[in-house]
Structure formats: structure tokens, C-alpha cells
Amino acid sequence: MADDISRFGAVSLDELPDDLRERIGAIAEKSGFVPNVFLALGHRPDELRAFCDYHDAVMEREVGLSKAERELIVVATSGANHCTYCVVAHGAILRIRAKDPFLADRVATNPWSVELTERQRAIVDLALALAVEPGAFSADDIEVARAAGLTDEEIWDVGSVTALFALSNRMAHLMALRPNDEFYLMGRVKKLG
Amino acid sequence: MADDISRFGAVSLDELPDDLRERIGAIAEKSGFVPNVFLALGHRPDELRAFCDYHDAVMEREVGLSKAERELIVVATSGANHCTYCVVAHGAILRIRAKDPFLADRVATNPWSVELTERQRAIVDLALALAVEPGAFSADDIEVARAAGLTDEEIWDVGSVTALFALSNRMAHLMALRPNDEFYLMGRVKKLG
Amino acid sequence: MADDISRFGAVSLDELPDDLRERIGAIAEKSGFVPNVFLALGHRPDELRAFCDYHDAVMEREVGLSKAERELIVVATSGANHCTYCVVAHGAILRIRAKDPFLADRVATNPWSVELTERQRAIVDLALALAVEPGAFSADDIEVARAAGLTDEEIWDVGSVTALFALSNRMAHLMALRPNDEFYLMGRVKKLG
Amino acid sequence: MADDISRFGAVSLDELPDDLRERIGAIAEKSGFVPNVFLALGHRPDELRAFCDYHDAVMEREVGLSKAERELIVVATSGANHCTYCVVAHGAILRIRAKDPFLADRVATNPWSVELTERQRAIVDLALALAVEPGAFSADDIEVARAAGLTDEEIWDVGSVTALFALSNRMAHLMALRPNDEFYLMGRVKKLG
Amino acid sequence: MADDISRFGAVSLDELPDDLRERIGAIAEKSGFVPNVFLALGHRPDELRAFCDYHDAVMEREVGLSKAERELIVVATSGANHCTYCVVAHGAILRIRAKDPFLADRVATNPWSVELTERQRAIVDLALALAVEPGAFSADDIEVARAAGLTDEEIWDVGSVTALFALSNRMAHLMALRPNDEFYLMGRVKKLG
Amino acid sequence: MADDISRFGAVSLDELPDDLRERIGAIAEKSGFVPNVFLALGHRPDELRAFCDYHDAVMEREVGLSKAERELIVVATSGANHCTYCVVAHGAILRIRAKDPFLADRVATNPWSVELTERQRAIVDLALALAVEPGAFSADDIEVARAAGLTDEEIWDVGSVTALFALSNRMAHLMALRPNDEFYLMGRVKKLG
């Protein structure tokens, strides 16, 4: 079963060091299941711990971009990178955060032309520029983002999220990481008022 | 001067929280100067701390790939990503680690065709596949690496280093991070016995 | 509302000529809703009629590839072409035809590396070669498909489906065609025995 | 000989069902020869019939773009797709329709930079955007075309012709379809008044 | 009229220095017209002279590749580079040298998949590798060419012709160089025995 | 040792014809060593002579672009073409001509986003457009260069240098030409006043 999760196998929750078992356990409790990425990265606790810390520093930041906007970046750049784990897992989170059952599939399938608000479009364009062809990134990309009203702190947020998932997408591709079945259905049905 | 370092300015060493000031200070002492990346990322101590932890977990690991091999991956993938800061800074480190004044420029200019040992070529090919077009990464890339004699632990090492510098290259592009002048000359003259 | 469907508006079912109204009406009855593509193409009944005829000749053929295999090609090439309408609509049909709630999202997100049977992989590789970079298509692609056991009739099937959706994807992009909401949920829950 | 025409052989005119034999026969009478595409597609009468119907709906339409403009799109997009059959066959038709012995070779060799009237350039740019990288097609492409004076009906025409030859180019690549020798010389000598 | 020839105008034959007037004059006498490239480059006699010398050293060499093979390389790489002047002018020469009225159009439209002899295919593949993506050129390309029977002298010939027309294609693009009308018809009609 | 220089070996200075031995000898005297390119091309004196003539006509021209600007183009386009010999050799010359120990590494690593003066940026952008994707070069590229203040003579200079090194880069890739060790250190230490 662990082989299904990753090309390099996976650990179980209780094989993790105490701090990580507690930390991932809390996530599992909230979600109802342990997202596979944690069990697959668990082979290397130091890398997993740094990954979690980086994730929290970037994705749980209280100021700047909204949480839905951060997930929008993750889904857009993971779509452009064809990363199945991140598209499926964060697609679920985006559906929930944005309270929209359709947005994630649209963004993941075509982040370049999906209809978005002007602010969302500026965020996604900046993220895609950095994610896909970083060598061509230039002062022009920054100027366009500023002209669309993004502050420098928000621009940094876009950059940090994009950079972290450039890492994360590549680890998932390396491992052929499989999304948990639970993610596929999450947030697909609009809650009644 | 701080503006020269990054599009978003930079902090000075003593603006950092204690733990980071101490940690970066130790690096500065060893190098003779503070590498700009730390001052530029210093705006966000949480991100800088996670970056340092991730860096150490991946680059300072005692087993698996040699340190010169890890730097080889950094220079090759940063060359492919046209990341000036990482090419110049880690090019210096590669010259020193590999005790070769020419290798870094060759690898950075053309990682695809630079003459390498068979093992180095397998490492670099795997890293480039993951760095440049992650969506096309497949079981074949893994098989080729295994056939060249890399163990699964070494393959993971290649993946981790590549993934971390996918992040790092993008942060450097975001900030238009400028390499310290000192890096350009380091390791260029062969030490006499 | 019609504007929501397509950049160029849409007709209603009863604005169609008799033969098409009857034909599309039968589809609507079976699905429970009128797929937007028919209302959007309805502006030009001659084109819509030819489209339906071509579709039936290629997708409803009784011999050769199975219907699930044909839908697999549609989802794979539409994913590669970032065509939201076709990915969402035919993703739903693939889930139903293949009796698999996960396959479509995996194929659409990354048709190049998704885990498939050997026969499916040969089909998808041939389709992607023709869909994405037709100018580089060569006798080698045919030879690889034959070596994997595909007959010439099946190879033609792969080609026809790929070619038809090269057309279809482009019409959908031209119109900014929006998928019906109903497609997103179809086939996501495994039926109990 | 039939093997010369297509990788999968070809039928002769009298092997076709009556309606198609009559329809293709009429074309042959007008041209002086049977264009190979009909004999090669003749293996599958249903597909050939739908192809002819789609072709007539799109290429013989009495309003909208002129016939020379439609052929211009075919040659430009087939050039971009490196489709030898369509470039050679429709290059001949373009020379005749546009009464210009040089235009087709120029357009096929470099549709992006060939000197054209402003209206022709707008048509070709729109067609290339949709033909070559459909995933990046966006509202901007439509806006540019409208700004150049194209009506929405004409924009649809550009899209339909482009889409049909996206299909047609791929069928020709699949079959390695060989152009009839007659096409190469047609329309190369300017008729005297 | 000179403006028709090149974006930067053109000289007339008698504006050239004596040696070049004589040299180009001899070519004109043989062809029946002055190929536009010479009048367009004539603005800079030193560059034109070096161009003619390089051309003769590479294209008129008595040993190694045949003249038809050299023209094959020119048409293939100029097709890949979408260079209208070189495709039209050297297409004419290839038709004559290869005594084949169809080959040039086929090669120019799709050098990657045009049917060729095994030796021609090896030549063209090597040329395309060097012409189109030189940074990825490697020892493997050389090995494949050697395995197909090309000698090292012939491989150098392929390289020289490709390199010279990498230069020539770019000068033609820079100047928007227009082919002489005469080239379009040359060699299109098979000579009777 | 000659095998180290090039995949096809190299000649020694005294194997060259008199005129070339004298010409290359003079360069060697000035540099303190014989640049490898001359020994590697020496197999074919006619090609080497034409190369030297072309080089002098383009690089030693007294009017138009400055010599540092010409070297800037060489380093930028050779960087984009991943040509190690030209980047290392002309990087050294650029450091000297521009009296800047850092510029060459920055330009070679990322010619698209390196910080330059407005005039330098216009020169490099024009050169990259022609070097990398010549088929897409158009009147727009010329207009942008003119708008930035470049004269038509300077634009031709940019084109000539770019075209010559399109040739030169490909010969170096063909031969796997190795840079002389001396180039790596030249111009790296700022001269004191």
C-alpha cells in the first residue's frame, strides 16, 4: 500500500519522530485522513520538518494575500507544471477556501485563459511567469503586477508561494506521489445556506 | 546599497533575530563576507529560517552524494534556469569543492553537453529532467539513473537538491538578487600543493 | 445566460433546424441537460451538423478501440491542449465509461506520466505525438504503436479521434466555451454493486 | 501505387459508395485529377463524408471571408504545422484564388513575417494563435482581431477554417499523405490578360 | 525597386568594387539574373566578399558531400528557420542539382519527416540538430551520424554548410530579403530525356 | 593534446599556410597564446581564412557600434546558444573591453534580464531575437530598435555580429571546441588606476 503512495514507499504516522507525528497527526485529525505527501516525505524527517516550516511560513501568513489567493497560485502553477498530487490536493482546498466547486478544475486545466477577477489575473500571471520560465522573468513582470495594484509585500507572497510549489511539484514528480482518494470529492457540492 | 542587493532591499546582519544573526554570522565569518541571499531574505525571518533549515537538511547531509556532486547539481540546474546569483555563488563553491577552476563555467554555460564522468552525467541528466520540464518527468528518468548505478537514496538526493534550487532560483529571480563581488574570483586559481 | 456559454452567444434548442433539434434533443434527454457545445455551435447549423456526423463516425464506431479508450484519447489530448470544456465534459464521460472516478483528473493533469496499462500508454503516446507537435510526427511513432500491438485500424482510430478533438479543442478555445455545471460531478462517486 | 499515396494505402474512385464517387468525381472532373486526400480517406466512407460536409460548410460559405482569404489561412496554418500535403495542395489553390504565383510559398515558409495587407495580417495572426498554441488563446487575441476590423462572423470563419485544418493536417501526418504531382505547378505562371 | 529587395535597400551591380562586380557578374551571366542577396549585401563590400569566400569554400568544395547533398542541407535548415529567401533560392538550385521537381518543397515544408534515403536522412538529422537547438548538440549526434556511415570529413561538411546558412538565414531575416521572381519556377518542369 | 582541443583534432601553428600562420601568429603574440579556435579550424585553411576575413569585417569595423558593444552581443547570443568556447573566450574580451570584471558572467548567464543601459538593452534584445528564433523576427523588432535610437547602420552591425556568431557557435558545438585555460582568468581583477 505504501508503494501506491510513492515510487520510494512511505512511512506510517507512528514511524515519525514525536514532533512530526504530533504535527501531522493534528492535520490528519482536521482532514479526516493523513495527506500522502507527509508519509512519503517522512523517510527524511529533516526535510519533512523544513518543508512543514516553509509551508507554514508561506501559506499560513496572517497578512498579505488571502488564503484562497494562495491556493489559487498553488493550483495555477501546479497545473502549468502538470503536478497531479498538488492539483488534486490543493484543488480540493481551493474549492473550499474559495467556496466555488468549479474554479479549481478551470484554473488547473488552463491557468492562462481562465476567467478571473483583475486582481486574481495579476496574481496568476505573475506566478506563471516565475513558475514556468524563470530565466525570462524581468522588471516588466514586477511593473505589471504593481500597475494592477499589488503591493510589494503581496508580490513577495506570490513569489514565495510559487517558489515553494516549484519545490513541492518537483518532489511530487520525483516520487510519483499519488493523491489520497478523499481529495477528489472534497468541496465539489455547494453547501446549502 | 541594500537596493543593489535586491529589488526589494535587504536587511543588515544586526536587524535579524538572534538565532539567525548568529547562524548567518558564522557563515560570514567562514566566508569573509555575508552572502547577499541571507540579507535579502532577511525581511521575512520565518522564510529565511525555513530556507536555512531546508538548505542544511539537503546540502549538508553526511551520506549519499558528495558535497561536490550536490554543488554540481546546483550549478547545472541554475545554469539551465539562467539564475545569475546561484550560478555565480555556487559556481565559486563548486570550484572549491571540486578543486577545479574551470568546471563551474563549463557546467553553467552548457549543462547538457559538458564533458563529465559517467556518474556525474547521470546525476546532471536526472537533475535537468526534473528542473526544466517537470511535467515530462517519468519512470524512464528513474530507470536511466538506476541503470547508471545511482541508488534510490542518491536519486532522492538529486531530487531534493534540484527541488530546493527550483525554489531558490525563483526567489533570486523575484528579487533580482545580485551576487557578492567576492564570489566571482573564488577558486579560480589552482592552489599549489 | 447564453453569453455565459460562449464568447459569441448561443442558440436555444428550438432555434435549431428540425433534424438538429431532434438529434440534440435525444442527447439532452439521455444526459438530463443540453451540453453547451451544441447550443454554441448552433449559430451555424451546417457546421454543427458536420460536427455531429464526424463525431458519430469517429466516436460511435462499433469496431476497433473501445469507447473508454476513445474517451481516454479525448481527455489526454484536451489536457495537453488545455481545453477546459473538453476536459470537463469528456472527463465526466471517461469516468463513466471507465468506471473509475479518478482516472480522468489524472490523465487530464498529466497525460505524459499518468500510470496506465501498456496498451493505454501506447494509445495515449501516439495521440499526444499527433496532437501536440504534428510536424514532428513520423514513421517512428507508427512503428512504436505497432510494436505495442495496435493494429493499423486501431492506429487510424487513434488518429481520427485525435484529429477531431484538435478541431473541437480549437472551436472551444475560440468561443471560450463554458462546461455545463452538471459535468463536474458526474461519475465521481463509485456506484455500489 | 496506392501505397505511395498514404501509409495506409488508398481506394480507387469506383470503390467508393455512390454518393461519394459522384461527389469526388465531380471534383476530379474540374481539377483534371483526383486529389489524393479523397482516395486515402476513402477507407472510411463515413469519415470521408463528414470531412467533405465540414469542408463545404466552412470553405464554400458564401458570406464572410473571401475564398482567397480562407485559402490563406489554410496555407499559413499548414505551414506552421509542417503539413506537406496541405501546403502543396492548398498552395496551388491559393495561387489561383489570389492570382499571385509567389504568395503561397512565402506564406507557407514563414506565415509569421510574410508581408501582407493589414487585414490579411490580422486574419493570419488570429489563425496562427489558435492553430499553434491553442492553450494560450485568450480574449486578447479576439480583441486584436476586432480592432483590426474583423467582424465576429469573420472571426468565427477564421476559427472554423483553422480548426478544420488542425484536423486535416493531423490526418495527413497520420497517413504520410503524398500530394499529387499536379499541384506543384498549378498557378505558377501568371496568366496573360 | 531596391527597397523591394531588402529592408535596407540594395546597390546596383556597377556600384560594387571591381572584384565583386566581376565575380557577381559572372554568377548573373550564368543564372540570367543577379540574385538579390548580392545586391543587398553590397552595402558592405567587405562583408559581401567574406560571404562569397566562405560560400565558395563550403559549397564548392570538390570532395566530401555531393553538391545536391549540400543544397539539401541548405533547404532543410532554411525551412526549419523559416527563411523565405534561402528556401526559394536554394529550393530552385536543389531541384536542378537533384533533378527532382518535388523534393525541395517537401524538404522545406517538413525536413523532419520527409521521406529520404538513409544517407540523406542522416545528413539532414545532423544538420537540423545543429541548426535548431545548438545548445543540445552532443556527442550522441555525432555517433548517430557515424553509425549511418558518414565520415568525419562529411560530418564537418554538414556542420560547415549548416553553420554558414545559420549566418545567411539571419542576414536574410534582418534585411527581409526578397527572393527574385525567377527562382520560383526554376527546375519545376522535368527535362525530357 | 590536439584531441583535447576539438572532437576532430587540431593543427599546430606551423602546419598552416604562410598567410594564416602569420595572421594567427600575430594574434598569438598579442594574447600570449594561440586561441584554440584557429588551430581547430586549421584543418580547412579556406574556411579558416574566410572566417578570419568575416570576423575582421564585422568585429574590427571602425564605425558604428563600439568594440565593447560588439563583444556584448557575442557574449549574449553565445550565452543563449550555450556555447562554452565563445562564452569563455569572448567573456574574457568583454571584461577587458568594458573594463568590468562582472559584466560577462552576468550577460552570459542571463542575457534576457541582466541589468544594462537602455542602449545596451536595445542592442541585446535585437541580437537575441535574431539569434534564438529567427523565424519570428519581424519589422517590429526593427522598429523597437530604431525607437531606442539605433541607426540603421548600427542595426546592421547588430545583425552581422549576431549572424557571424550563429555560425561560430555552431562550429564550436560541432567540434566540441575547448576554451584555452588562459581565458578563464583574463580581466577578472580590476586594474588599479
Side-chain angles (χ1 to χ4, degrees), chain D residues 1 28 31-36 85 88-89 91-93 95-96 178-188, chain E residues 101-102 105-106 188:
Chain D
M1 200 198 86
S31 317
F33 59 95
V34 190
N36 287 337
Y85 184 85
V88 173
I93 306 178
R95 286 193 290 273
I96 290 166
R178 169 174 290 249
N180 305 57
D181 291 357
E182 290 86 346
F183 284 125
Y184 290 86
L185 260 180
M186 280 168 61
R188 291 214 173 264
Chain E
F102 310 126
D105 289 351
R106 285 179 188 150
R188 290 212 173 263

Side-chain angles (χ1 to χ4, degrees), chain D residues 10-75:
Chain D
V11 303
S12 66
L13 203 53
D14 38 298
E15 291 175 86
L16 288 173
D18 289 358
D19 66 315
L20 287 168
R21 191 175 59 245
E22 195 170 323
R23 192 170 184 171
I24 309 302
I27 294 169
E29 199 149 334
K30 215 167 106 186
S31 317
F33 59 95
V34 190
N36 287 337
V37 65
F38 301 115
L39 303 178
L41 287 178
H43 278 306
R44 301 224 173 151
D46 290 350
E47 295 184 21
L48 173 54
R49 193 175 293 111
F51 179 77
C52 291
D53 289 346
Y54 219 127
H55 179 277
D56 291 355
V58 165
M59 299 301 284
E60 308 287 335
R61 206 161 169 265
E62 292 302 325
V63 294
L65 298 185
S66 74
K67 289 197 176 161
E69 286 168 342
R70 288 170 207 260
E71 294 298 330
L72 179 68
I73 295 168
V74 177
V75 174

